[in-house]
């Protein structure tokens, strides 16, 4: 069987694969992208980031209308089923697929639909949907196959009442009650969404606090507002068994507790899509969760085979995955690293209110013995927040007392994932350019949420002596 030859073959068309493909082809390389699905975009576009955030926006809009027009609340609840909001999310997915497809067409990247497997270190065989096999050879490969929800043994995910973070998007009616096992980012986001729809939610956390990687004050605020919305959070609990019945699901916990709900959502981790790629025959290392081990240049143990995105593990963010793909392709084309560009990656968590953070937390700075000060701006005091009615939240700046260098930015509230980027631009400056003084000496539009930076900076400087 003859093989088609390319300079670079990329496995996967999610953010990591797209970043690698576009960088390589724009550098004059002949590129082929292999995608198992007939539509480009990967899990980010089809089952994870885009549909879940679009669904959240649809739910939030419904809540806003019900808040502003209480006389319509009962009618809206009856005539806006979950299926309608899911369809709104699907329209965004379609637009994203159409847009991303044009990138491949316009840049003349060959797209092959099928399941890829390495035959040897320079050849992959692609089994297409109808069973035919095509061989592709290349001087370099980028594995960007993404991840999937982790499935533990003993949980029947085929049962119609048991879901993971992919299949939950197939729901067409909101249940009356739900158990969410796993209180990481995905678990907290879905707990917030379904509680807004009036679903009784039990959020089971295997740890002692929510999202412990966040600044403690932000984590505490999230716990408070989820509880205020009616989510029952159960910390330090571990599952022993899940019983699925026709009338509901029963969760057994090691503590002896038993919980019952209409549906069960497993949201406790993901696994890298490295299975059946033929990596073991090449000597490429994979951990227990299917994540491929790579170096700073995203090279595997076989130097011309790279891996990027969720399949290499943390930080498992679409934004970071795209950059990783570009960096890997840069190393293929130019033999140099751009790793420094991903030193500080903002975290966006789409609960309601949402959360975004960048840099170090108070706990980390205290443990490191760094002398810092804190500046707060509470949204309830900002004119723009009062106008929009979204007064829950705050912006928190951590800065070095002597140099006034910004060390961490933490935001909780409406549009936090947008607000964070103003501070990110200053924090990324070299030397004296990274200073809280920027927010004191800059005039912001009024009224805006950006004004929070000036308020927080003044608040922090007032603590200096």
């Amino acid at each position: 069987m003859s093989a088609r030859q390319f300079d670079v073959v990329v496995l996967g068309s999610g953010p990591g694969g797209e970043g690698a493909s576009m960088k390589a082809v724009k550098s004059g390389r002949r590129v082929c992208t292999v995608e198992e699905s007939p539509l480009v975009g990967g899990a980010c576009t089809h089952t994870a980031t885009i549909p879940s955030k679009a669904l959240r926006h649809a739910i939030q809009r419904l809540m806003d209308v019900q808040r502003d027009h209480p006389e319509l609340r009962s009618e809206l609840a009856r005539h806006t089923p979950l299926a309608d909001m899911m369809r709104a999310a699907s329209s965004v997915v379609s637009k994203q697929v159409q847009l991303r497809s044009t990138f491949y067409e316009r840049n003349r990247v060959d797209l092959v639909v099928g399941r890829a497997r390495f035959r040897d270190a320079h050849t992959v065989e692609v089994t297409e949907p109808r069973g035919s096999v095509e061989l592709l050879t290349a001087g370099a490969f980028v594995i960007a196959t993404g991840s999937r929800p982790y499935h533990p043994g003993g949980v029947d995910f085929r049962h119609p009442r048991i879901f993971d973070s992919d299949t939950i998007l197939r729901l067409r009616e909101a249940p009356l009650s739900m158990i969410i096992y796993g209180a990481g980012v995905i678990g907290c986001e879905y707990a917030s969404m379904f509680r807004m729809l009036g679903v009784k939610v039990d959020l089971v956390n295997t740890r002692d606090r929510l999202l412990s990687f966040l600044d403690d004050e932000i984590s505490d605020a999230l716990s408070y507002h989820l509880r205020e919305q009616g989510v029952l959070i159960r910390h330090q609990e571990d599952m022993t068994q899940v019983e699925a019945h026709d009338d509901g699901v029963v969760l057994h916990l090691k503590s002896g507790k038993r919980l019952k709900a209409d549906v069960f959502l497993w949201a406790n981790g993901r696994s890298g899509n490295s299975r059946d790629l033929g990596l073991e025959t090449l000597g490429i290392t994979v951990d227990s969760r299917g994540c491929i081990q790579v170096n700073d240049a995203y090279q595997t143990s076989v130097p011309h085979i790279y891996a990027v995105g969720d399949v290499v593990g943390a930080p498992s963010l679409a934004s970071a995955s795209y950059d990783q793909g570009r960096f890997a392709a840069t190393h293929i084309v130019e033999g140099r690293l751009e790793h420094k560009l991903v030193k500080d990656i903002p975290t966006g968590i789409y609960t309601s209110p949402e959360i975004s953070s960048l840099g170090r937390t108070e706990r980390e700075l205290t443990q490191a013995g760094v002398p810092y000060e804190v500046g707060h701006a509470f949204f309830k005091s900002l004119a723009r927040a009062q106008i929009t009615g979204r007064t829950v939240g705050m912006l928190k700046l951590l800065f070095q007392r002597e140099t006034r260098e910004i060390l961490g930015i933490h935001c909780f509230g409406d549009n936090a994932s947008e607000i964070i980027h103003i501070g990110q631009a200053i924090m990324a400056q070299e030397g004296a350019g990274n200073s809280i003084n920027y927010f004191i000496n800059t005039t912001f539009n009024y009224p805006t949420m950006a004004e929070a930076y000036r308020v927080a900076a003044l608040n922090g400087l007032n603590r200096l002596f």
Side-chain angles (χ1 to χ4, degrees):
M1 184 186 300
S2 61
R4 286 204 288 159
Q5 296 182 347
F6 296 90
D7 297 315
V8 182
V9 169
V10 179
L11 309 185
S13 67
E18 181 183 306
S21 296
M22 295 306 131
K23 173 61 180 178
V25 76
K26 288 178 184 295
S27 299
R29 301 303 190 265
R30 189 179 178 205
V31 180
C32 177
T33 298
V34 181
E35 171 54 57
E36 190 172 6
S37 167
L39 300 174
V40 300
C44 171
T45 299
H46 296 281
T47 60
T49 304
I50 297 302
S52 65
K53 277 51 178 180
L55 173 62
R56 174 192 180 269
H57 180 69
I59 294 171
Q60 187 70 64
R61 287 185 65 187
L62 175 62
M63 296 303 104
D64 289 344
V65 173
Q66 290 181 349
R67 179 198 65 195
D68 296 338
H69 302 280
E71 72 279 5
L72 300 176
R73 186 171 297 157
S74 59
E75 185 177 351
L76 285 168
R78 284 197 309 271
H79 296 291
T80 314
L82 183 61
D84 288 345
M85 288 182 276
M86 290 291 189
R87 276 192 286 272
S90 296
S91 70
V92 178
V93 171
S94 297
K95 291 173 184 176
Q96 282 290 301
V97 170
Q98 184 178 10
L99 172 68
R100 316 212 90 80
S101 295
T102 62
F103 297 162
Y104 292 90
E105 295 167 4
R106 188 171 67 242
N107 290 286
R108 298 183 180 178
V109 175
D110 281 44
L111 270 173
V112 175
V113 176
R115 174 77 180 178
R117 179 182 176 84
F118 281 92
R119 174 176 283 195
D120 59 50
H122 284 278
T123 308
V124 293
E125 57 181 24
V126 182
T127 304
E128 298 176 349
R130 293 185 179 181
S132 59
V133 176
E134 183 173 6
L135 298 183
L136 307 173
T137 65
F141 295 85
V142 180
I143 302 170
T145 47
S147 65
R148 65 188 183 282
Y150 170 69
H151 282 187
V155 179
D156 183 10
F157 287 92
R158 296 170 299 179
H159 194 280
R161 291 186 180 272
I162 295 180
F163 298 88
D164 61 30
S165 56
D166 285 357
T167 57
I168 194 68
L169 292 165
R170 300 174 192 167
L171 267 181
R172 289 298 174 263
E173 293 184 7
L176 295 177
S177 59
M178 171 183 285
I179 297 168
I180 300 177
Y181 186 81
V185 171
I186 294 172
C188 288
E189 287 180 345
Y190 276 113
S192 180
M193 277 191 269
F194 280 99
R195 185 58 203 146
M196 282 193 288
L197 289 174
V199 178
K200 179 183 176 182
V201 176
D202 278 89
L203 179 61
V204 181
N205 184 19
T206 59
R207 302 184 181 185
D208 61 353
R209 64 185 298 122
L210 294 183
L211 306 183
S212 57
F213 61 88
L214 292 174
D215 188 87
D216 290 347
E217 192 171 7
I218 302 297
S219 174
D220 290 343
L222 173 63
S223 296
Y224 172 80
H225 285 284
L226 284 177
R227 287 193 174 102
E228 187 180 49
Q229 291 163 7
V231 175
L232 180 56
I233 305 171
R234 301 176 185 269
H235 291 300
Q236 292 185 296
E237 297 280 6
D238 288 294
M239 178 187 78
T240 59
Q241 182 186 1
V242 179
E243 291 181 42
H245 304 284
D246 291 340
D247 64 341
V249 181
V250 177
L251 175 65
H252 296 256
L253 300 171
K254 284 184 180 179
S255 64
K257 299 184 185 73
R258 293 190 303 162
L259 311 178
K260 185 175 182 180
D262 292 332
V263 298
F264 175 83
L265 170 58
W266 173 271
N268 199 31
R270 295 180 70 84
S271 298
N273 291 327
S274 57
R275 187 186 305 168
D276 299 326
L277 289 177
L279 302 181
E280 61 283 353
T281 62
L282 303 177
I284 294 177
T285 307
V286 176
D287 68 16
S288 60
R289 281 293 181 100
C291 294
I292 300 172
Q293 305 301 300
V294 295
N295 63 15
D296 286 347
Y298 304 102
Q299 291 171 295
T300 67
S301 54
V302 179
H304 69 276
I305 299 178
Y306 297 69
V308 300
D310 283 12
V311 78
V312 304
S316 298
L317 298 169
S319 54
S321 296
Y322 190 89
D323 285 342
Q324 289 171 349
R326 289 194 302 111
F327 301 151
T330 298
H331 195 263
I332 291 170
V333 173
E334 302 175 19
R336 65 183 178 90
L337 293 174
E338 288 188 356
H339 189 68
K340 65 177 184 179
L341 297 179
V342 293
K343 177 185 175 184
D344 289 308
I345 300 172
T347 297
I349 301 168
Y350 295 86
T351 47
S352 184
E354 67 189 47
I355 298 168
S356 193
S357 64
L358 181 69
R360 288 184 281 179
T361 65
E362 284 202 66
R363 188 184 335 114
E364 291 168 341
L365 292 171
T366 299
Q367 290 172 352
V370 177
Y372 71 92
E373 197 46 87
V374 184
H376 287 101
F378 294 97
F379 287 5
K380 65 182 179 181
S381 302
L382 301 178
R384 183 61 178 266
Q386 294 167 358
I387 290 168
T388 62
R390 299 190 180 279
T391 55
V392 172
M394 67 173 177
L395 174 67
K396 177 177 181 177
L397 301 180
L398 306 179
F399 61 98
Q400 215 275 353
R401 290 180 60 93
E402 302 300 327
T403 66
R404 301 189 181 184
E405 173 190 359
I406 302 169
L407 304 171
I409 307 169
H410 307 278
C411 191
F412 178 84
D414 186 49
N415 280 319
S417 59
E418 301 284 355
I419 293 169
I420 198 81
H421 293 303
I422 300 170
Q424 180 188 28
I426 304 307
M427 190 172 165
Q429 301 303 305
E430 298 288 342
N434 175 9
S435 172
I436 199 170
N437 291 339
Y438 173 85
F439 304 119
I440 306 296
N441 300 325
T442 297
T443 302
F444 292 92
N445 278 333
Y446 179 83
T448 61
M449 295 306 295
E451 184 197 5
Y453 279 96
R454 180 178 59 82
V455 174
L458 289 170
N459 178 263
L461 292 178
N462 285 338
R463 292 194 171 94
L464 298 180
F465 57 90

PDB file of all heavy atoms in Angstrom, residues 364-379:
ATOM      1  N   GLU A 364       0.261  30.917  48.872  1.00  0.00           N
ATOM      2  CA  GLU A 364       1.562  30.669  48.255  1.00  0.00           C
ATOM      3  C   GLU A 364       2.574  31.746  48.619  1.00  0.00           C
ATOM      4  O   GLU A 364       3.739  31.452  48.904  1.00  0.00           O
ATOM      5  CB  GLU A 364       1.400  30.580  46.737  1.00  0.00           C
ATOM      6  CG  GLU A 364       0.652  29.342  46.273  1.00  0.00           C
ATOM      7  CD  GLU A 364       0.257  29.417  44.806  1.00  0.00           C
ATOM      8  OE1 GLU A 364       0.226  30.529  44.252  1.00  0.00           O
ATOM      9  OE2 GLU A 364      -0.041  28.359  44.230  1.00  0.00           O
ATOM     10  N   LEU A 365       2.144  32.995  48.622  1.00  0.00           N
ATOM     11  CA  LEU A 365       3.054  34.095  48.953  1.00  0.00           C
ATOM     12  C   LEU A 365       3.487  34.042  50.420  1.00  0.00           C
ATOM     13  O   LEU A 365       4.647  34.296  50.748  1.00  0.00           O
ATOM     14  CB  LEU A 365       2.380  35.432  48.646  1.00  0.00           C
ATOM     15  CG  LEU A 365       2.140  35.721  47.157  1.00  0.00           C
ATOM     16  CD1 LEU A 365       1.270  36.960  46.997  1.00  0.00           C
ATOM     17  CD2 LEU A 365       3.452  35.885  46.410  1.00  0.00           C
ATOM     18  N   THR A 366       2.552  33.697  51.297  1.00  0.00           N
ATOM     19  CA  THR A 366       2.879  33.587  52.721  1.00  0.00           C
ATOM     20  C   THR A 366       3.884  32.465  52.966  1.00  0.00           C
ATOM     21  O   THR A 366       4.867  32.626  53.702  1.00  0.00           O
ATOM     22  CB  THR A 366       1.609  33.348  53.543  1.00  0.00           C
ATOM     23  OG1 THR A 366       0.715  34.456  53.361  1.00  0.00           O
ATOM     24  CG2 THR A 366       1.927  33.207  55.022  1.00  0.00           C
ATOM     25  N   GLN A 367       3.639  31.320  52.329  1.00  0.00           N
ATOM     26  CA  GLN A 367       4.551  30.185  52.486  1.00  0.00           C
ATOM     27  C   GLN A 367       5.933  30.489  51.932  1.00  0.00           C
ATOM     28  O   GLN A 367       6.944  29.997  52.458  1.00  0.00           O
ATOM     29  CB  GLN A 367       3.959  28.951  51.810  1.00  0.00           C
ATOM     30  CG  GLN A 367       2.741  28.388  52.512  1.00  0.00           C
ATOM     31  CD  GLN A 367       2.049  27.281  51.722  1.00  0.00           C
ATOM     32  OE1 GLN A 367       2.392  27.008  50.565  1.00  0.00           O
ATOM     33  NE2 GLN A 367       1.068  26.635  52.342  1.00  0.00           N
ATOM     34  N   ALA A 368       5.998  31.321  50.887  1.00  0.00           N
ATOM     35  CA  ALA A 368       7.282  31.668  50.274  1.00  0.00           C
ATOM     36  C   ALA A 368       7.969  32.832  50.986  1.00  0.00           C
ATOM     37  O   ALA A 368       9.101  33.198  50.641  1.00  0.00           O
ATOM     38  CB  ALA A 368       7.076  32.019  48.801  1.00  0.00           C
ATOM     39  N   GLY A 369       7.305  33.422  51.968  1.00  0.00           N
ATOM     40  CA  GLY A 369       7.902  34.533  52.699  1.00  0.00           C
ATOM     41  C   GLY A 369       8.008  35.809  51.901  1.00  0.00           C
ATOM     42  O   GLY A 369       8.916  36.625  52.130  1.00  0.00           O
ATOM     43  N   VAL A 370       7.080  36.019  50.973  1.00  0.00           N
ATOM     44  CA  VAL A 370       7.094  37.234  50.153  1.00  0.00           C
ATOM     45  C   VAL A 370       6.265  38.319  50.839  1.00  0.00           C
ATOM     46  O   VAL A 370       5.089  38.104  51.156  1.00  0.00           O
ATOM     47  CB  VAL A 370       6.517  36.948  48.747  1.00  0.00           C
ATOM     48  CG1 VAL A 370       6.457  38.235  47.926  1.00  0.00           C
ATOM     49  CG2 VAL A 370       7.328  35.894  48.035  1.00  0.00           C
ATOM     50  N   PRO A 371       6.836  39.503  51.090  1.00  0.00           N
ATOM     51  CA  PRO A 371       6.057  40.588  51.714  1.00  0.00           C
ATOM     52  C   PRO A 371       5.098  41.206  50.701  1.00  0.00           C
ATOM     53  O   PRO A 371       5.517  41.850  49.743  1.00  0.00           O
ATOM     54  CB  PRO A 371       7.137  41.588  52.141  1.00  0.00           C
ATOM     55  CG  PRO A 371       8.270  41.350  51.197  1.00  0.00           C
ATOM     56  CD  PRO A 371       8.245  39.888  50.860  1.00  0.00           C
ATOM     57  N   TYR A 372       3.822  40.993  50.905  1.00  0.00           N
ATOM     58  CA  TYR A 372       2.833  41.464  49.935  1.00  0.00           C
ATOM     59  C   TYR A 372       1.732  42.234  50.652  1.00  0.00           C
ATOM     60  O   TYR A 372       1.590  42.167  51.873  1.00  0.00           O
ATOM     61  CB  TYR A 372       2.229  40.286  49.163  1.00  0.00           C
ATOM     62  CG  TYR A 372       1.299  39.417  49.994  1.00  0.00           C
ATOM     63  CD1 TYR A 372      -0.071  39.676  50.034  1.00  0.00           C
ATOM     64  CD2 TYR A 372       1.790  38.366  50.750  1.00  0.00           C
ATOM     65  CE1 TYR A 372      -0.931  38.896  50.802  1.00  0.00           C
ATOM     66  CE2 TYR A 372       0.954  37.586  51.522  1.00  0.00           C
ATOM     67  CZ  TYR A 372      -0.406  37.850  51.554  1.00  0.00           C
ATOM     68  OH  TYR A 372      -1.242  37.093  52.329  1.00  0.00           O
ATOM     69  N   GLU A 373       0.938  42.946  49.870  1.00  0.00           N
ATOM     70  CA  GLU A 373      -0.241  43.614  50.399  1.00  0.00           C
ATOM     71  C   GLU A 373      -1.422  43.300  49.489  1.00  0.00           C
ATOM     72  O   GLU A 373      -1.247  42.819  48.362  1.00  0.00           O
ATOM     73  CB  GLU A 373       0.004  45.115  50.515  1.00  0.00           C
ATOM     74  CG  GLU A 373      -0.981  45.849  51.429  1.00  0.00           C
ATOM     75  CD  GLU A 373      -1.209  45.145  52.754  1.00  0.00           C
ATOM     76  OE1 GLU A 373      -0.456  45.376  53.707  1.00  0.00           O
ATOM     77  OE2 GLU A 373      -2.181  44.334  52.810  1.00  0.00           O
ATOM     78  N   VAL A 374      -2.614  43.560  49.997  1.00  0.00           N
ATOM     79  CA  VAL A 374      -3.853  43.197  49.305  1.00  0.00           C
ATOM     80  C   VAL A 374      -4.678  44.439  49.019  1.00  0.00           C
ATOM     81  O   VAL A 374      -4.824  45.311  49.888  1.00  0.00           O
ATOM     82  CB  VAL A 374      -4.708  42.230  50.161  1.00  0.00           C
ATOM     83  CG1 VAL A 374      -5.943  41.771  49.390  1.00  0.00           C
ATOM     84  CG2 VAL A 374      -3.886  41.040  50.627  1.00  0.00           C
ATOM     85  N   GLY A 375      -5.233  44.514  47.801  1.00  0.00           N
ATOM     86  CA  GLY A 375      -6.177  45.563  47.454  1.00  0.00           C
ATOM     87  C   GLY A 375      -7.472  44.955  46.970  1.00  0.00           C
ATOM     88  O   GLY A 375      -7.456  44.049  46.136  1.00  0.00           O
ATOM     89  N   HIS A 376      -8.593  45.410  47.502  1.00  0.00           N
ATOM     90  CA  HIS A 376      -9.908  44.888  47.120  1.00  0.00           C
ATOM     91  C   HIS A 376     -10.751  45.959  46.435  1.00  0.00           C
ATOM     92  O   HIS A 376     -10.669  47.139  46.779  1.00  0.00           O
ATOM     93  CB  HIS A 376     -10.695  44.423  48.351  1.00  0.00           C
ATOM     94  CG  HIS A 376     -10.215  43.147  48.965  1.00  0.00           C
ATOM     95  ND1 HIS A 376      -9.426  43.109  50.089  1.00  0.00           N
ATOM     96  CD2 HIS A 376     -10.405  41.855  48.597  1.00  0.00           C
ATOM     97  CE1 HIS A 376      -9.169  41.858  50.409  1.00  0.00           C
ATOM     98  NE2 HIS A 376      -9.746  41.070  49.521  1.00  0.00           N
ATOM     99  N   ALA A 377     -11.582  45.513  45.500  1.00  0.00           N
ATOM    100  CA  ALA A 377     -12.658  46.346  44.953  1.00  0.00           C
ATOM    101  C   ALA A 377     -13.906  45.478  44.933  1.00  0.00           C
ATOM    102  O   ALA A 377     -13.946  44.465  44.216  1.00  0.00           O
ATOM    103  CB  ALA A 377     -12.328  46.838  43.552  1.00  0.00           C
ATOM    104  N   PHE A 378     -14.897  45.819  45.729  1.00  0.00           N
ATOM    105  CA  PHE A 378     -16.132  45.038  45.784  1.00  0.00           C
ATOM    106  C   PHE A 378     -17.117  45.580  44.751  1.00  0.00           C
ATOM    107  O   PHE A 378     -17.358  46.795  44.688  1.00  0.00           O
ATOM    108  CB  PHE A 378     -16.717  45.073  47.189  1.00  0.00           C
ATOM    109  CG  PHE A 378     -15.841  44.361  48.199  1.00  0.00           C
ATOM    110  CD1 PHE A 378     -14.953  45.080  48.990  1.00  0.00           C
ATOM    111  CD2 PHE A 378     -15.881  42.984  48.313  1.00  0.00           C
ATOM    112  CE1 PHE A 378     -14.130  44.436  49.899  1.00  0.00           C
ATOM    113  CE2 PHE A 378     -15.059  42.324  49.218  1.00  0.00           C
ATOM    114  CZ  PHE A 378     -14.175  43.041  50.013  1.00  0.00           C
ATOM    115  N   PHE A 379     -17.666  44.678  43.963  1.00  0.00           N
ATOM    116  CA  PHE A 379     -18.523  45.093  42.851  1.00  0.00           C
ATOM    117  C   PHE A 379     -19.732  45.892  43.325  1.00  0.00           C
ATOM    118  O   PHE A 379     -20.236  46.752  42.594  1.00  0.00           O
ATOM    119  CB  PHE A 379     -18.984  43.868  42.059  1.00  0.00           C
ATOM    120  CG  PHE A 379     -17.897  43.240  41.219  1.00  0.00           C
ATOM    121  CD1 PHE A 379     -16.587  43.697  41.281  1.00  0.00           C
ATOM    122  CD2 PHE A 379     -18.175  42.189  40.365  1.00  0.00           C
ATOM    123  CE1 PHE A 379     -15.581  43.121  40.512  1.00  0.00           C
ATOM    124  CE2 PHE A 379     -17.184  41.598  39.582  1.00  0.00           C
ATOM    125  CZ  PHE A 379     -15.891  42.071  39.665  1.00  0.00           C
TER     126      PHE A 379
END
